[in-house]
Amino acid sequence: MQYLLIIYSNEAERDPATLQEITAAHMRLGAELQETGAMVGGNRLKPSDTATTIRTTGGVQSLHDGPYAETREQLAGYYLVEAADLDAAIAWGRKIPGGQNYAIEVRPIWPIG
Amino acid sequence: VNAEAILADTVREAGDRIRAALAIRFRDLDLAEEAFGFASLRAVETWSRDGPPRDPAAWLYAVARRRAFDLGRRAKVRRDAIHDAPQPPSNPETLLLAAFEPIPDERLRLIFICCHPALAPEARIALTLRTLCGLSVERLARAWLTTEAAMQQRLTRAKRKIRDARIRFEIPEPDAWGERLEAVLATLEIAYAQAYEDAAGASEAADLAGETLRLSRLLTELLPDEAEVLGLAALIRLAESRRPARLDAAGAMAPLSEQDVRLWDDRLIDEAIALMRRAAEIGRSGPYQLMAAIHAAHATRRETGFIAWGDIATLYDYLLTVRPSPVAQVNRAVALAEALGPDAGLAALDAIEDPGRLAGWLPYQAARAGICAKAGRAGEAAQALRAALALDPAPAERLFLARRLAELSA
């Protein structure tokens, strides 16, 4: 079963030194996911000020500058992993680096068809 | 033959074991529930006609298991069943043999699943009481003062998450053990707090207390080497031992230090002390053992006639280092006021951070009133009592607080 591990972090809290450290930790986690065959995919995202939101209201689409939700913690990246169960997916989620304050949402993939 | 009476006895004796075995074997809580319900109905029919079987529990398990296989096949959920699950018995001989297969004890596994930290805390205990103990949705709704529909929804949502997010159906690994056990203990603690809340002890709550006592005992049997499991079981017993003494003749709350010790349930206290001795032998302290020790210190008033407030204050100091909470801080202040005098108590109360939030909290105002009255500061005591009365206390506590206020004015 596949799980999406969604990273939410505070973009304002980043200094270059910790960012470098966190990136290195992501590389190590990526390698571990690859080795164990758990890695399905993953990426980091550019900061939320580069986001564009297409909103449909009453069937009419309009574009907005910015992310879907203006929250303190923003979607920053994700891993897609293969795991036996939620507990195994949570164990991977715990290993995702991100500094002192951040959140990982663990969501099972709902296959189509 | 009274089939229904035999069934009731069997379910009381072995119901939790059968339900857990079904849930774990089929990895589907709904399927297990449905199959068990079917087997119970079939038992009444069959046993009234043919007489009860030699081993009614094994009979129930075998019939429920067969039903679950049929239902599972029909619903095409079989691919989700565990891979080593045997084929359903197909002829009378295998059925007969299967009937005498011992029922595996999967209760601990089921408890760990129902109390998984990925489930909402308020759903965990309801799920445990429903799937393991077989309490009806209606009874659970009554205990939580909610509607049947709301309780059903809470249970359905939790069961769906277990299935759809695929919560692990195994005993937790050593590295996850601490967190998982903590979630189980916290769940039982919440259940008991719910049962304990109103001093008047509405029958629904008392009923829930009985189930919590039973569950906590079961846990001590399943995990005899976990000191905190023993500590929690002791804590619940000590708190419950005082239920008969919590109201006075007028229906007002009787505070612990003023309760008539002759009304306490000696059997529960003795059980608790024995559990605490076992926990102490294991030699790994923790918050539940400390809380039990505090209750036990109060319980010694049974023999000594006095309360060792100094010891109690020290126990709260320990408790605050492992599990800080406003309740413990307030209770520590009360103990200090008794042990060292009201000034020490007031100093401890004033040292609690965030007084703004505490002002709207009933136990804080009640404690403040008690300590101020002891210090001879009647005006402040009355003020605190009025603040407490404005915070919507339960009827028994309202009576108690109002009486104190009247005494102050007299």
Side-chain angles (χ1 to χ4, degrees), chain B residues 84-374:
Chain B
D84 59 357
Q87 290 300 305
S90 48
N91 56 51
E93 287 76 28
T94 50
L95 201 62
L96 202 65
L97 281 174
F100 297 102
E101 186 186 297
I103 305 164
D105 191 352
E106 302 284 19
R107 291 175 297 183
L108 188 61
R109 271 219 260 184
L110 186 59
I111 292 172
F112 270 113
I113 293 162
C114 292
C115 297
H116 196 285
L119 298 174
E122 70 272 18
R124 289 180 207 156
I125 186 63
L127 194 60
T128 308
L129 291 172
R130 178 87 194 100
T131 56
L132 183 72
C133 310
L135 261 62
S136 70
V137 176
E138 186 259 330
R139 207 169 136 197
L140 289 170
R142 255 192 296 134
W144 266 269
L145 306 173
T146 183
T147 61
E148 255 185 87
M151 180 52 73
Q152 184 65 60
Q153 195 180 19
R154 191 186 289 182
L155 291 165
T156 304
R157 198 184 158 276
K159 282 189 277 191
R160 198 177 60 215
K161 180 158 185 187
I162 290 173
R163 190 188 60 224
D164 290 356
R166 201 182 284 178
I167 279 177
R168 183 175 293 175
F169 268 59
E170 304 300 331
I171 295 291
E173 307 280 325
D175 59 339
W177 182 261
E179 186 189 18
R180 296 291 303 277
L181 183 60
E182 212 169 279
V184 171
L185 295 176
T187 304
L188 271 183
E189 190 189 357
I190 293 168
Y192 187 72
Q194 180 77 23
Y196 190 79
E197 200 144 87
D198 186 1
S203 60
E204 284 82 18
D207 206 21
L208 188 60
E211 292 296 336
T212 319
L213 280 171
R214 212 171 65 81
L215 260 181
S216 67
R217 157 159 317 281
L218 173 61
L219 216 52
T220 64
E221 286 160 9
L222 298 172
L223 295 170
D225 300 325
E226 287 287 349
E228 280 291 87
V229 167
L230 303 173
L232 177 62
L235 173 63
I236 293 175
R237 274 158 186 74
L238 287 165
E240 186 63 17
S241 73
R242 303 196 304 257
R243 186 178 291 280
R246 287 173 67 198
L247 295 184
D248 66 15
M253 179 189 93
L256 171 54
S257 56
E258 295 168 21
Q259 284 169 5
D260 180 351
V261 298
R262 289 165 306 178
L263 297 177
W264 288 348
D265 185 331
D266 292 330
R267 190 185 53 90
L268 281 174
I269 296 175
D270 295 343
E271 263 181 52
I273 303 299
L275 286 163
M276 287 170 67
R277 288 225 176 87
R278 274 173 58 198
E281 276 164 26
I282 296 168
R284 276 179 46 209
S285 184
Y288 290 115
Q289 292 167 77
L290 284 168
M291 287 188 275
I294 291 167
H295 283 257
H298 278 284
T300 54
R301 183 158 66 88
R302 234 183 1 163
E303 290 94 33
T304 63
F306 68 91
I307 303 170
W309 286 109
D311 294 350
I312 290 175
T314 307
L315 285 167
Y316 275 115
D317 285 335
Y318 285 126
L319 181 60
L320 282 165
T321 61
V322 292
R323 186 166 138 168
S325 75
V327 187
Q329 284 181 309
V330 166
N331 287 334
R332 173 176 171 272
V334 172
L336 283 174
E338 297 289 345
L340 305 175
D343 290 343
L346 279 176
L349 263 193
D350 291 337
I352 305 176
E353 279 171 38
D354 202 0
R357 201 168 48 89
L358 286 176
W361 192 50
L362 208 150
Y364 172 78
Q365 295 292 2
R368 174 152 217 107
I371 300 175
C372 285
K374 202 175 161 60

